[in-house]
Amino acid sequence: MTCKSLVEQKPLTQLASGIYSFACSLWNHHTDTFLQQIFTGDEAAATNSLERTLLSLKVLRKLTVHGFVEPHRNVEVMGFLHAVFERLKQFLECSRSIGTENVCRDRLEKTIILFTKVLLDFLDQHPFSFTPLIQRSLEFAVSYVFTEAGEGVTFERFIVQCMNLIKMIVKNYAYKPSKRFEDSSPETLEAHKIKTSFFTYPTLMEICRRLVSHYFLLTEEELTMWEEDPEGFTVEETGGDSWKYSLRPCTEVLFIDIFHEYNQTLTPVLLEMVHSLQGPTNVEDTNALLIKDAVYNAVGLAAYELFDSVDFDQWFKNQLLAELQVSHNRYKPIRRRVIWLIGQWISVKFKSDLRPMLYEAIRNLLQDQDLVVRIETATTLKLTVDDFEFRTDQFLPYLESMFTLLFQLLQEVTECDTKMHVLHVLSCVIERVNIQIRPYVGCLVQYLPLLWKQSEEHNMLRCAILTTLIHLIQGLGAESKNLYPFLLPIIQLSTDVSQPPHVYLLEDGLELWLVTLENSPCLTPELLRIFQNMSALLELSSENLRTCFKIINAYIFLSSSEFLQVYSGDLCRSFCELLKDITTEGQVQVLKVVENVLKVNPALGPQMFQPLLPSVFRGIIEGERYPVVMSTYLGVIGRVLLQNASFFSLLLSQMACECGQELDQLLGNMIEMWVDRMDNITQPERRKLSALALLSLLPSDNSVIQDKFCGIINISVEGLHDVMTEDPETRTYKDCMLMSHFEEPKMTEDEEPPTEQDKRKKTLALKDPVHTVSLQQFVYEKLKAQQELLGEQAFQALMETVDTEIVTQLQEFLQGF
């Protein structure tokens, strides 16, 4: 609870006790007046009184819910809440007596709903204070929703509220005892006892049967919508704008919650309903078809609870598969429901061996005469390919036909939501089969530019197109270059922060940009030009910054010379600005880019990013406190020292002037800090780089370097421990980081093939000293050169500064040299 809410609540709690009694009497007065006036037929006066009733009830709702810390101790509060049930009954009877054309009707229903909100809010805020109301609430809600008492009285929104009341009591965590009852509070045990005494077997059985056989039935309105607006029907079924307050999803959620809470009681009830529906249903018997649809819906919703009770594989083979093959138009509710049901069970219990039979059925249903069935089938296909037991080899024989049929469905549907849905299914298929999709995507590639143009006013559809393109590029690999005339303008628009659509498209647009670069075989002028968008993106410093850094790195790996020749100045300026105000993680990301530049272009890289290097050097000397930042600092300076010694000398001279220190003194401080903070470096590659970089200072007759000789040897031996592996047969050591030639990795069926960027990184590694220079040999050669420079006696004196244990380990690594 915030300080502000405490300040606001204190006056309300003081106010509530003082005015609550008056508010109750005022509400009672207006309510009685309204009921009397509606009974005498005085509609105009009744309307005014109802407005006052509604207003006074709104005040009481706030006072009751938020005005008392322990409301169950206040007699007037509990009296009001008990009165709510009586008033609700009176208002419901009143709604039955007045016609739908009555001017009071709309306000009357709003008042009834407000009564239910009082109960729901009070239960939410004060579950234990609500305990005395649990029994009455359940009796009231169940009688109106699941018995004849509610017929002709209730309206849909009221039923939804009653179901929410039941659901909140069933699910309420405060009413659930611990596994060890003795660990539960008395309040919890009391509430649990009331719940248990109410939800007897007959009550639960009746609720379950009524939910399935009454509320789950497709209505005349839904069936008409299916015929007249099939796409609208599928959108409503899968969660359209009105989904939150519609009856169907509310009944399904209540069923799931009650079934989960009382599954041992309800499982036999539901299985009995299933067994009564064995075999095909007469297509002329509409009611029987709707009952079967409803029961299958229940089995799908309760899939996880029924895991041990239903042999779904046998049911699929012996009955469900046959029902999918009944092609009569009147059987379409069952075809649609069965393929939906399979989708619900696919990740719960469905043998891998049955997948080909399912794919055959899906392929047939994607050609069904009914659009709703085809859309539902596409959904189940997505769930199937998304499942962790999906096997590409089983799916490949059906890939071409499925992809063609999905594409035809995409062209056929007209609603934005449906196109998004089908595109999502296509994306999932492309993602799972990867490069196997290449022969079949021509039609989609030709259609997407048209769809992009048509969706100019529909940004969410454009997001779906971007997602599809991401998976498409990954599947096409280097062949994706053929899409550039269409692809690059889309990336340009989506990542341009001066264009209004970027608000919706930026995240997916950046991902598409990155994937395009990773799979690009070469840098084209158009692809280079898009980078003009990056400066503004870096200025945003948004949550997309990480992806922006990945994009910059991808350009560096793709063609560092061309890229840096054009953009190094802008990039360096952007980085300098970013580093003034950025998180530690962001700082590391910037430095990793610099490190990659130095790795790819050691000759020109230090000059291009020269303005950044003094702060890095200073960070080392001053002992940067964040290990991850210090590690990156050492990685950057290590690259400069190892691969561009002349530039390192210039940098050292510049820093000596700035710090007002002797050059040798500054070098000594740097080496000392490097040795001291070596443990900050956790990546083996960077640890080896540090050893190589410090060893590169040898041979030297510089007294400072000789003074730090012990530290350099310590780092070298640590590095040898990191990278050397012993051959058990020859008892010789080998540097495990050495790479002698490029090998295409052997892939398993489920592994993704390497991207063009992966190949570029491997090629780059073949030029990287970390992967081409043997640390063992480098240590030997540097020590030998130092010995030759100083002479045997002076060299031995230098070696005596090193710990004897370290020397022993060093000699062991250098055996054979």
Side-chain angles (χ1 to χ4, degrees):
M1 187 177 289
T2 64
C3 292
K4 183 180 177 185
S5 63
L6 282 169
V7 171
E8 289 171 346
Q9 192 173 358
K10 189 176 179 183
L12 183 60
T13 54
Q14 291 175 350
L15 179 69
S17 57
I19 66 168
Y20 197 83
S21 179
F22 174 71
C24 280
S25 63
L26 198 63
W27 167 69
N28 273 315
H29 169 72
H30 292 312
T31 304
D32 288 336
T33 304
F34 161 73
L35 291 170
Q36 186 178 4
Q37 289 166 341
I38 204 77
F39 179 73
T40 58
D42 190 348
E43 287 188 12
T47 302
N48 288 331
S49 295
L50 184 57
E51 283 296 332
R52 294 188 181 94
T53 299
L54 192 56
L55 182 60
S56 58
L57 184 57
K58 285 179 180 178
V59 173
L60 271 176
R61 177 190 175 194
K62 293 292 183 187
L63 292 175
T64 303
V65 174
H66 301 292
F68 300 89
V69 177
E70 295 181 311
H72 60 284
R73 298 187 186 280
N74 188 295
V75 176
E76 287 184 318
V77 169
M78 299 310 290
F80 163 69
L81 289 168
H82 280 288
V84 163
F85 294 102
E86 294 305 319
R87 292 304 194 184
L88 262 171
K89 289 179 183 178
Q90 292 172 337
F91 274 62
L92 286 165
E93 285 303 318
C94 185
S95 70
R96 187 212 296 266
S97 63
I98 66 173
T100 55
E101 302 300 319
N102 192 293
V103 292
C104 290
R105 182 80 197 189
D106 180 58
R107 305 304 285 172
L108 182 61
E109 290 190 356
K110 284 187 176 179
T111 308
I112 290 170
I113 294 304
L114 188 58
F115 278 126
T116 62
K117 285 182 178 179
V118 171
L119 296 172
L120 287 166
D121 289 355
F122 190 77
L123 170 56
D124 180 58
Q125 294 293 316
H126 307 283
F128 289 128
S129 293
F130 193 86
T131 301
L133 303 167
I134 291 176
Q135 180 76 20
R136 193 165 186 182
S137 298
L138 290 171
E139 288 172 352
F140 176 86
V142 169
S143 69
Y144 275 103
V145 176
F146 296 110
T147 72
E148 295 176 359
E151 291 180 12
V153 179
T154 56
F155 52 96
E156 187 170 294
R157 186 73 193 280
F158 173 70
I159 295 172
V160 167
Q161 293 293 90
C162 285
M163 287 185 174
N164 284 336
L165 187 58
I166 298 169
K167 181 184 72 175
M168 281 183 69
I169 293 171
V170 168
K171 282 189 71 176
N172 204 302
Y173 183 75
Y175 301 160
K176 291 186 179 181
S178 304
K179 287 185 178 179
R180 285 167 28 114
F181 263 58
E182 57 268 30
D183 293 339
S184 306
S185 69
E187 294 85 357
T188 296
L189 292 176
E190 183 186 357
H192 178 70
K193 183 180 177 183
I194 297 169
K195 271 175 58 180
T196 304
S197 66
F198 179 82
F199 285 113
T200 59
Y201 175 76
T203 301
L204 286 169
M205 184 175 68
E206 185 59 27
I207 289 174
C208 180
R209 288 188 180 279
R210 286 278 291 184
L211 279 171
V212 176
S213 62
H214 179 69
Y215 288 107
F216 280 12
L217 294 184
L218 288 168
T219 64
E220 281 295 328
E221 184 182 297
E222 288 170 324
L223 292 170
T224 301
M225 189 178 190
W226 184 329
E227 294 298 331
E228 295 177 357
D229 181 15
E231 288 187 57
F233 174 83
T234 58
V235 170
E236 282 294 309
E237 283 283 298
T238 53
D241 291 338
S242 59
W243 189 89
K244 183 179 178 182
Y245 297 113
S246 62
L247 184 56
R248 177 166 299 282
C250 186
T251 59
E252 291 179 351
V253 170
L254 178 61
F255 174 81
I256 292 168
D257 290 338
I258 287 184
F259 205 95
H260 175 74
E261 189 75 9
Y262 303 103
N263 64 82
Q264 290 186 333
T265 303
L266 293 177
T267 294
V269 177
L270 184 56
L271 291 182
E272 182 190 331
M273 297 171 81
V274 173
H275 291 146
S276 69
L277 298 170
Q278 294 296 326
T281 304
N282 185 351
V283 295
E284 303 298 329
D285 191 342
T286 303
N287 188 58
L289 291 171
L290 294 180
I291 288 288
K292 177 174 274 192
D293 173 81
V295 173
Y296 284 4
N297 186 17
V299 175
L301 295 172
Y304 285 97
E305 306 297 337
L306 295 171
F307 179 86
D308 293 320
S309 305
V310 173
D311 187 342
F312 194 81
D313 296 331
Q314 287 299 317
W315 194 26
F316 170 74
K317 287 190 292 185
N318 298 339
Q319 175 159 346
L320 299 180
L321 203 54
E323 299 210 75
L324 291 177
Q325 294 163 359
V326 180
S327 59
H328 196 287
N329 184 52
R330 288 185 183 173
Y331 215 75
K332 64 187 180 186
I334 305 303
R335 291 197 301 276
R336 173 235 177 199
R337 181 58 71 189
V338 168
I339 200 64
W340 171 88
L341 173 63
I342 294 167
Q344 301 307 297
W345 275 83
I346 199 75
S347 61
V348 177
K349 196 178 191 180
F350 196 88
K351 275 186 182 174
S352 179
D353 296 348
L354 298 176
R355 295 290 175 110
M357 294 170 69
L358 175 58
Y359 294 143
E360 190 76 41
I362 288 175
R363 181 168 63 184
N364 292 336
L365 285 178
L366 285 173
Q367 301 170 72
D368 197 275
Q369 59 189 340
D370 185 77
L371 181 58
V372 173
V373 173
R374 295 203 297 281
I375 294 170
E376 194 65 69
T377 303
T379 306
T380 294
L381 175 59
K382 176 192 170 297
L383 294 169
T384 306
V385 299
D386 265 352
D387 185 54
F388 72 95
E389 288 193 8
F390 173 80
R391 280 171 41 195
T392 309
D393 62 312
Q394 290 181 321
F395 186 68
L396 285 180
Y398 307 92
L399 176 58
E400 181 177 6
S401 55
M402 293 248 206
F403 197 84
T404 302
L405 291 165
L406 283 170
F407 175 66
Q408 290 172 1
L409 181 60
L410 177 65
Q411 288 179 299
E412 181 182 352
V413 296
T414 56
E415 293 291 328
C416 180
D417 286 336
T418 325
K419 281 192 179 291
M420 284 169 56
H421 178 62
V422 179
L423 265 177
H424 191 42
V425 178
L426 280 163
S427 294
C428 289
V429 171
I430 294 169
E431 183 181 15
R432 291 313 297 262
V433 301
N434 206 281
I435 60 174
Q436 309 277 5
I437 200 65
R438 290 178 185 178
Y440 315 118
V441 294
C443 55
L444 181 63
V445 167
Q446 290 175 355
Y447 177 65
L448 285 178
L450 174 63
L451 185 59
W452 179 265
K453 189 174 181 181
Q454 291 173 342
S455 62
E456 192 170 355
E457 302 300 318
H458 303 284
N459 286 309
M460 297 313 293
L461 177 53
R462 285 196 158 185
C463 286
I465 295 172
L466 291 175
T467 303
T468 304
L469 283 169
I470 289 167
H471 296 309
L472 199 55
I473 300 305
Q474 289 171 327
L476 289 173
E479 293 177 22
S480 60
K481 187 183 176 187
N482 299 326
L483 274 62
Y484 284 6
F486 161 58
L487 185 64
L488 301 189
I490 285 182
I491 296 173
Q492 168 71 41
L493 173 70
S494 304
T495 60
D496 184 350
V497 297
S498 67
Q499 298 290 334
H502 90 273
V503 175
Y504 303 95
L505 307 179
L506 181 58
E507 186 174 348
D508 292 318
L510 286 170
E511 194 63 37
L512 179 60
W513 189 358
L514 175 60
V515 167
T516 300
L517 289 165
E518 289 174 340
N519 289 276
S520 178
C522 60
L523 182 63
T524 66
E526 295 79 13
L527 194 52
L528 183 61
R529 198 175 302 122
I530 296 176
F531 196 80
Q532 293 171 356
N533 286 357
M534 185 55 72
S535 291
L537 289 166
L538 292 175
E539 287 176 18
L540 280 180
S541 295
S542 66
E543 65 275 6
N544 296 308
L545 209 51
R546 183 189 290 269
T547 309
C548 290
F549 287 126
K550 288 181 180 178
I551 289 168
I552 296 166
N553 283 320
Y555 273 104
I556 291 166
F557 292 128
L558 180 57
S559 182
S560 64
S561 298
E562 283 182 80
F563 169 66
L564 293 171
Q565 189 176 354
V566 179
Y567 291 110
S568 61
D570 292 341
L571 204 53
C572 191
R573 281 189 290 274
S574 293
F575 283 177
C576 287
E577 286 300 313
L578 269 176
L579 289 171
K580 291 177 183 176
D581 182 26
I582 197 171
T583 63
T584 301
E585 184 187 358
Q587 194 176 354
V588 170
Q589 294 298 326
V590 169
L591 294 170
K592 279 184 178 178
V593 173
V594 177
E595 195 175 5
N596 283 329
V597 171
L598 299 173
K599 188 187 299 184
V600 174
N601 199 329
L604 297 176
Q607 296 170 25
M608 292 174 173
F609 287 92
Q610 192 278 333
L612 291 171
L613 296 178
S615 63
V616 174
F617 196 99
R618 198 176 296 110
I620 295 174
I621 298 299
E622 294 173 358
E624 164 62 44
R625 63 194 181 103
Y626 289 110
V628 67
V629 178
M630 187 62 160
S631 171
T632 317
Y633 281 167
L634 294 172
V636 170
I637 297 301
R639 285 283 168 192
V640 177
L641 175 57
L642 178 62
Q643 295 180 265
N644 198 329
S646 59
F647 189 89
F648 177 78
S649 296
L650 293 172
L651 178 62
L652 192 62
S653 299
Q654 178 189 343
M655 295 308 299
C657 290
E658 286 185 16
C659 299
Q661 292 185 25
E662 290 294 324
L663 191 145
D664 284 349
Q665 181 189 358
L666 191 63
L667 176 61
N669 291 344
M670 184 200 77
I671 297 171
E672 188 174 331
M673 188 59 72
W674 203 323
V675 171
D676 185 56
R677 300 295 291 276
M678 184 67 177
D679 287 344
N680 289 169
I681 306 175
T682 56
Q683 304 92 328
E685 291 87 353
R686 210 178 264 167
R687 288 177 68 81
K688 180 178 176 180
L689 173 67
S690 285
L692 291 171
L694 290 175
L695 281 166
S696 72
L697 294 168
L698 303 178
S700 175
D701 57 3
N702 184 304
S703 60
V704 171
I705 292 176
Q706 290 189 31
D707 186 50
K708 306 300 178 187
F709 180 80
C710 173
I712 294 173
I713 297 303
N714 287 347
I715 296 301
S716 302
V717 173
E718 278 191 41
L720 287 167
H721 279 292
D722 291 332
V723 305
M724 302 303 287
T725 55
E726 185 179 10
D727 187 326
E729 293 182 5
T730 62
R731 303 289 291 175
T732 56
Y733 287 96
K734 178 186 175 184
D735 190 331
C736 66
M737 287 193 186
L738 289 181
M739 295 171 60
S740 55
H741 61 282
F742 181 80
E743 286 185 4
E744 283 284 356
K746 293 178 181 178
M747 292 186 302
T748 63
E749 179 191 308
D750 295 326
E751 281 184 318
E752 293 183 6
T755 63
E756 294 300 303
Q757 179 162 299
D758 292 332
K759 296 173 186 176
R760 287 191 282 271
K761 284 182 175 180
K762 283 285 179 69
T763 304
L764 176 62
L766 293 174
K767 302 174 184 176
D768 186 349
V770 172
H771 297 292
T772 57
V773 175
S774 164
L775 180 59
Q776 185 186 32
Q777 187 166 348
F778 198 66
V779 171
Y780 171 75
E781 289 174 354
K782 289 295 181 179
L783 290 178
K784 192 168 186 290
Q786 186 70 27
Q787 184 182 29
E788 290 172 356
L789 176 67
L790 299 182
E792 180 65 31
Q793 188 174 355
F795 178 71
Q796 285 303 323
L798 200 59
M799 287 299 295
E800 286 173 6
T801 64
V802 183
D803 185 84
T804 54
E805 179 62 31
I806 299 295
V807 172
T808 302
Q809 293 173 24
L810 179 64
Q811 289 169 342
E812 190 176 335
F813 280 121
L814 296 183
Q815 282 177 3
F817 281 94

